[in-house]
Amino acid sequence: MLKIITILTIYLTISSSSLHAENKSIDSKNKILLKEKCSSCHSLKIIYQQRLSKSRWEEIILSMHKHGMTKLTKSDYINIIKYLSKHYNQ
Amino acid sequence: MMHQYSRRNFIKYSSKNLLTLGILSYFSIPAGITTLHAHKESLVSDLKNKDQLTILNDRPINAETPPHLLDDSITPTSRHFVRNNGLVPDLNVADQKNWTLKINGNVNNPKTYTIKELKKQFEVVTKVLQLECGGNGRAFFDPPATGNQWTYGAISCSEWTGVRLSDVLSASNIKSNSIYTGHYSADIHLSGDLEKDVISRGIPISKALDRDNIIAFAMNGSDLPLIHGYPLRLICPGWPGSTSQKWLTRIEILDHIHDGMKMTGKSYKVPKKPIAPGTILENKDLKIIESMPIKSLITYPKNGKDNTSLNMKVRGHAWAGDKKVSQVNISIDYGATWMKTSLAAPVNSHAWQDWNILIDFPGEGYFEIWARATDEENISQPFSISWNSKGYLNNSVHRIYTNIKI
């Protein structure tokens, strides 16, 4: 019984940490994406100053298209919004 | 709205400011300033001369002055805030000798002037004028508003030398159906697209003919620094700073409200009707900001400074857009009682007004000092923010704290 519990614990620990690592790598990929898409025009400092809801971030990204930002692919848009509303939420 | 005045939040903001200030006084030039054109050296030297400003953004460059560094009656160039929407133009373009200003549009007599011609043909005047960013105080909005998170320091009152806008417009003989100006400049859009205007704001003709508006070529007795609009800029005191176009090249007279960049969207506009905090309105429900509201700042002592005596000198400035300030009152008991300060007259119209008071504290302890100004129409600063999504016109009372320890 103890053996089973030990194996199960080890299994769970490994799988949760790899899940964690995966999340972390998605997050850092999204950060790179944000940098690539936004900092060609302006410093990321303006982003770091904001604390906004997801819907307001969506509004802002859409308004950036009007300011000359190259239109984002749907997946880039989703990933950037995900990153912004995770780290710069109100 | 009460959230803004919780003590925890107040201290949080105060310590954040102190921390930022500490870091920035060490690194007086922000790292990683990048610009499109070959004017980096001059730009960096302009910034190097900025004394302990808080850098909010480095592309475009935006920096504000902590309140205790705004203590002078006339704001030194080194302590004047920096507000940019785009990139500072190349110095090769911003050439004083070849620079021209066009006046055209709905006029009988369109003109083009060199700076030399402006100086020769019009009376040169020097005035002390207050200039405040429409978004000054945005950092305290709840829910947060978008844009640079200015706290207190996007305000100045420097001495500007130039010719009167009203004289220059009169020489072009404006047609009688004109209602607005449109201002154009040589700064560069962040996208690098040279066809795009960075910002092109305007003002109603009635404001444009006010004799305090200056087409300026000098600031505090020297040529304008590049970062403040060299070689020519507008100063429209008392209105949002964005109407004071830097690197000014052209003023177009219009028979309709100007539709330039940052005139037709949500920028520099506030709700027509009062709204609940967090409400997002459509453009048609917004109105253009005109005169800035009554406001004051405590510039001495520095926020958080301990005092070892029961007496303390407190001073600062107050301003009211196009209007005059009639009184400034101080409270050390969270607004329960007020003391009238000694208020100076402005050195000229549209200059801010200095005030001071000697406070007698009742004993030791933690005190907040609140300043509240009232304008000549008996309108005072509010205690809370009238919320709008872009974070404009926060003129709520300025508060600092002190510990009295004898």
Side-chain angles (χ1 to χ4, degrees):
Chain A
M1 186 63 191
L2 191 68
K3 208 175 167 187
I4 292 171
I5 289 174
T6 313
I7 289 169
L8 200 65
T9 311
I10 290 169
Y11 173 77
L12 282 175
T13 311
I14 291 169
S15 64
S16 80
S17 70
S18 70
L19 191 68
H20 180 71
E22 200 183 317
N23 275 342
K24 210 178 157 190
S25 91
I26 288 173
D27 208 45
S28 49
K29 267 185 199 159
N30 288 346
K31 188 179 181 174
I32 292 165
L33 184 68
L34 178 85
K35 202 170 172 183
E36 187 188 301
K37 298 296 177 188
C38 304
S39 69
S40 57
C41 281
H42 60 80
S43 155
L44 295 179
K45 280 195 170 72
I46 188 71
I47 295 173
Y48 303 156
Q49 289 182 60
Q50 313 305 316
R51 295 291 178 272
L52 301 170
S53 65
K54 188 176 174 228
S55 64
R56 296 210 66 201
W57 275 122
E58 287 170 347
E59 203 181 294
I60 286 196
I61 295 291
L62 294 175
S63 77
M64 287 302 142
H65 290 140
K66 282 185 211 154
H67 290 301
M69 182 195 204
T70 316
K71 204 167 182 299
L72 295 171
T73 62
K74 200 170 177 187
S75 73
D76 283 355
Y77 173 80
I78 290 168
N79 288 332
I80 283 180
I81 294 291
K82 196 187 262 177
Y83 185 83
L84 289 171
S85 41
K86 181 179 171 190
H87 296 278
Y88 303 103
N89 211 320
Q90 64 191 67
Chain B
M1 286 291 93
M2 287 315 289
H3 173 67
Q4 189 208 349
Y5 287 117
S6 74
R7 181 172 302 182
R8 209 179 98 206
N9 224 31
F10 176 56
I11 291 169
K12 191 179 89 188
Y13 272 114
S14 313
S15 53
K16 190 179 120 193
N17 284 349
L18 290 174
L19 180 68
T20 318
L21 184 59
I23 292 168
L24 282 158
S25 52
Y26 184 74
F27 298 106
S28 61
I29 315 168
I33 288 184
T34 47
T35 49
L36 271 184
H37 296 264
H39 59 271
K40 284 180 196 162
E41 278 172 30
S42 147
L43 203 60
V44 170
S45 79
D46 274 359
L47 269 181
K48 207 185 267 174
N49 296 331
K50 288 287 170 191
D51 184 9
Q52 302 176 47
L53 263 65
T54 306
I55 310 292
L56 300 177
N57 197 353
D58 53 17
R59 190 167 48 106
I61 299 166
N62 285 285
E64 68 168 320
T65 316
H68 71 281
L69 297 179
L70 285 168
D71 197 36
D72 301 86
S73 294
I74 295 176
T75 309
T77 305
S78 62
R79 290 178 175 177
H80 193 291
F81 71 95
V82 181
R83 168 73 180 119
N84 286 302
N85 285 265
L87 303 173
V88 174
D90 194 322
L91 239 193
N92 297 328
V93 178
D95 169 7
Q96 202 172 22
K97 265 191 202 150
N98 299 320
W99 194 267
T100 56
L101 171 68
K102 261 197 189 96
I103 310 294
N104 65 2
N106 205 38
V107 295
N108 291 312
N109 192 11
K111 290 265 196 182
T112 301
Y113 302 97
T114 61
I115 294 176
K116 209 173 164 187
E117 285 166 343
L118 283 174
K119 288 180 184 175
K120 206 173 148 193
Q121 293 179 33
F122 300 99
E123 186 189 350
V124 172
V125 291
T126 295
K127 280 173 192 265
V128 176
L129 301 168
Q130 34 111 352
L131 194 61
E132 185 177 18
C133 171
N136 197 20
R138 178 179 292 139
F140 307 106
F141 276 62
D142 179 24
T146 53
N148 280 298
Q149 300 295 303
W150 305 99
T151 61
Y152 303 104
I155 170 73
S156 66
C157 192
S158 291
E159 191 184 77
W160 302 94
T161 300
V163 296
R164 289 186 190 93
L165 173 64
S166 57
D167 291 349
V168 174
L169 294 186
S170 300
S172 277
N173 195 1
I174 293 173
K175 289 182 183 167
S176 61
N177 63 339
S178 304
I179 62 163
Y180 232 86
T181 63
H183 313 153
Y184 293 88
S185 53
D187 38 353
I188 298 152
H189 195 270
L190 288 175
S191 64
D193 183 346
L194 297 175
E195 297 298 309
K196 269 193 173 153
D197 287 325
V198 171
I199 184 167
S200 174
R201 305 261 305 144
I203 49 175
I205 294 295
S206 54
K207 168 68 178 175
L209 295 179
D210 184 302
R211 288 169 65 79
D212 286 343
N213 301 313
I214 304 284
I215 299 173
F217 41 76
M219 175 185 189
N220 294 327
S222 303
D223 282 351
L224 295 173
L226 181 61
I227 209 166
H228 291 300
Y230 177 87
L232 200 65
R233 71 168 300 171
L234 253 181
I235 298 290
C236 300
W239 283 44
S242 56
T243 60
S244 295
Q245 200 90 17
K246 299 196 275 187
W247 311 288
L248 182 71
T249 53
R250 183 164 72 92
I251 299 173
E252 191 174 349
I253 302 301
L254 303 161
D255 63 0
H256 54 271
I257 293 176
H258 184 39
D259 55 3
M261 186 63 105
K262 305 220 173 188
M263 283 298 298
T264 57
K266 294 185 178 183
S267 294
Y268 306 105
K269 287 182 186 169
V270 287
K272 284 180 182 165
K273 284 188 277 186
I275 51 160
T279 311
I280 307 296
L281 297 175
E282 288 178 42
N283 293 1
K284 67 174 176 52
D285 297 318
L286 300 168
K287 62 177 181 192
I288 299 168
I289 300 169
E290 299 201 328
S291 173
M292 294 292 285
I294 176 79
K295 200 165 174 178
S296 61
L297 201 59
I298 302 164
T299 58
Y300 184 88
K302 185 178 172 179
N303 185 31
K305 189 176 180 280
D306 289 347
N307 206 43
T308 52
S309 148
L310 287 178
N311 294 320
M312 184 189 254
K313 276 183 189 161
V314 176
R315 61 176 182 261
H317 318 287
W319 59 97
D322 285 336
K323 292 188 272 181
K324 275 189 184 144
V325 181
S326 63
Q327 54 177 297
V328 177
N329 293 293
I330 293 290
S331 178
I332 55 167
D333 53 12
Y334 303 91
T337 60
W338 293 89
M339 294 168 272
K340 201 170 173 179
T341 68
S342 164
L343 175 70
V347 292
N348 52 242
S349 48
H350 283 110
W352 66 17
Q353 292 168 244
D354 296 344
W355 55 264
N356 71 80
I357 188 170
L358 182 69
I359 299 178
D360 288 322
F361 285 91
E364 289 188 328
Y366 171 95
F367 291 90
E368 284 193 15
I369 303 170
W370 295 12
R372 187 177 193 224
T374 302
D375 72 20
E376 57 190 335
E377 288 171 6
N378 215 22
I379 297 170
S380 300
Q381 289 181 257
F383 296 99
S384 194
I385 296 170
S386 171
W387 196 91
N388 57 85
S389 67
K390 299 281 279 180
Y392 295 121
L393 305 186
N394 172 8
N395 66 329
S396 55
V397 295
H398 183 209
R399 306 157 61 192
I400 63 165
Y401 74 92
T402 181
N403 280 296
I404 308 287
K405 290 181 207 159
I406 302 165

